[in-house]
Amino acid sequence: MIAIIGLLVGVAVGILWNPVVPLWLEPYLPIAIVAALDAVFGGFRALMEKRFDDRIFAVSFLSNVVIASVLVFLGDQLGVGAQMSTGVVVVLAMRIFANAAAIRRILFRA
Amino acid sequence: MKTVIERFLAEATADEYPKAGSSSRHGSPFGSVVTTVVVLVTLALLGVVAVVAALAARSSVEERQGTRADLIGRVTAQYDTVAALQEEVAVLGSTVDGLRLDLIEAAAGAGSAEEVEQLAEVTGVTALSGPGVVVTIDDAPDAEPGSLDRVLDRDVQAIVNELWRMGAVGVAVNEQRLTQASAIRGAGEAILVNYQPLNRPYVVRALGIRSSGTEDGLAELLDSLAQDYGLVSDVEVGDVTLPAGEFRDPRFAQSTGGSP
């Protein structure tokens, strides 16, 4: 519930504020979002399994975003930015699917 | 025995939370205000970033479309400028031609001026108007790109050659006057005359022909093009005006003197 409220607040703030994204930051936003989604799904799964921890959640969220962005940035600097983005997105998507599967098993027992 | 991929997958999808039942800082999930605030702030952050990314992606698309429209506008404006300048060139060119003839007449007599005028007509460097025929030819109505049912360079060539054979004094294809140095050739999908791409339908104007070509090879040629490829053509007899062509000096290859 609180998570959904937070998400809605964030969306509202984003729409109302509508900040101008610096051009150099733009390529990293999608990656950052996927990384953040991974942390959110992981947190949700932990919540379902009754082992949620706010500290781990916050740290994993921030570190995921930072590491994913830095990896892609490094890839860009080394000329393999596209491949690095693909790799990062594949791994994160895999984790998201694994977590989603675990959540699904708990919620629907299927 | 796990395969490499299984081990990789297990490591990549391992989660960071302690196993259930092991020591946890909080007795129950969501038990503290801190947890609530952390979750709220984190998810709000995610929402903001997601919205910002989506808006940025969309605005860049809009920007690109704006740039494209702007470029199209500039191209169109340049086309208009070129057309206006070409008209000016034609007007000035005919003035120059008149002055040149006057000069020749004054310097070398009326006979030379007439000769120059005739040669200019034959070589196609002056605008001409008078009786003639207009042949319009277009692609078959359902022609696909790249198919033979479209008008090809050799179709235009055949029509032009037929018109010369019928005694045309001057020929122009879509406002491109044919001179001695003109070529009608295909470049990809386009037909080029005087290195200028033409747009369909192709209008071939020939001056100095009075018949519509029914008893000549022209009608036969157009019929066969219509039957074989479905090309749509039309022949009209009437007054035609040909624009002046550009005289290009022939260029010759020159030996550099070195051994091949």
Side-chain angles (χ1 to χ4, degrees), chain A residues 19-23 26, chain B residues 55-71:
Chain A
V20 177
V21 187
L23 211 58
E26 224 169 85
Chain B
L55 288 178
R58 187 178 305 169
S59 76
S60 73
V61 168
E62 275 166 11
E63 224 166 82
R64 228 175 292 146
Q65 277 170 344
T67 313
R68 190 165 172 274
D70 192 38
L71 280 175

Side-chain angles (χ1 to χ4, degrees), chain A residues 6 21 47 51 54 61 94-95, chain B residues 12 14-16 18 25 35 42:
Chain A
V21 187
L47 186 67
R51 54 198 178 90
D54 55 10
F61 184 94
M94 229 158 61
R95 290 172 54 92
Chain B
D15 76 34
E16 47 272 5
R25 287 197 312 135
T35 306
T42 314

Side-chain angles (χ1 to χ4, degrees), chain A residues 2-3 6-7 10-11 14 18-19 21 29 33 36 40 42-43 45-47 51-52 54-58 60-61 94-95, chain B residues 9 12 14-20 25-26 30 34-36 38-40 42-53 55:
Chain A
I2 288 159
L7 201 59
V11 168
N18 195 5
V21 187
L29 285 183
I33 289 167
V40 169
R45 175 192 183 176
L47 186 67
R51 54 198 178 90
F52 182 79
D54 55 10
R55 191 177 55 90
I56 295 177
F57 178 63
S60 78
F61 184 94
M94 229 158 61
R95 290 172 54 92
Chain B
L9 278 176
D15 76 34
E16 47 272 5
Y17 295 89
K19 292 274 173 269
R25 287 197 312 135
H26 305 293
F30 279 66
V34 178
T35 306
T36 312
V38 165
V39 171
L40 201 65
T42 314
L43 268 295
L45 208 60
L46 173 62
V48 170
V49 174
V51 166
V52 166
L55 288 178

Side-chain angles (χ1 to χ4, degrees), chain B residues 136-224:
Chain B
T136 311
I137 187 152
D138 199 358
D139 300 347
D142 52 351
E144 310 239 326
S147 84
L148 286 176
D149 294 347
R150 305 185 68 191
V151 179
L152 303 180
D153 50 339
R154 61 167 185 240
D155 303 331
V156 179
Q157 284 169 9
I159 291 167
V160 168
N161 285 337
E162 197 57 47
L163 291 168
W164 287 127
R165 209 183 58 74
M166 286 161 68
V169 177
V171 177
V173 186
N174 283 24
E175 303 303 317
Q176 288 297 325
R177 178 75 177 272
L178 297 179
T179 66
Q180 264 70 3
S182 295
I184 301 171
R185 60 188 188 87
E189 296 278 290
I191 298 177
L192 303 187
V193 174
N194 294 339
Y195 305 107
Q196 296 296 315
L198 305 183
N199 293 321
R200 49 178 287 260
Y202 305 95
V203 181
V204 185
R205 293 186 176 80
L207 187 123
I209 301 172
R210 282 161 203 284
S211 77
S212 63
T214 35
E215 66 277 10
D216 285 293
L218 181 62
E220 206 176 302
L221 172 69
L222 294 178
D223 275 349
S224 71

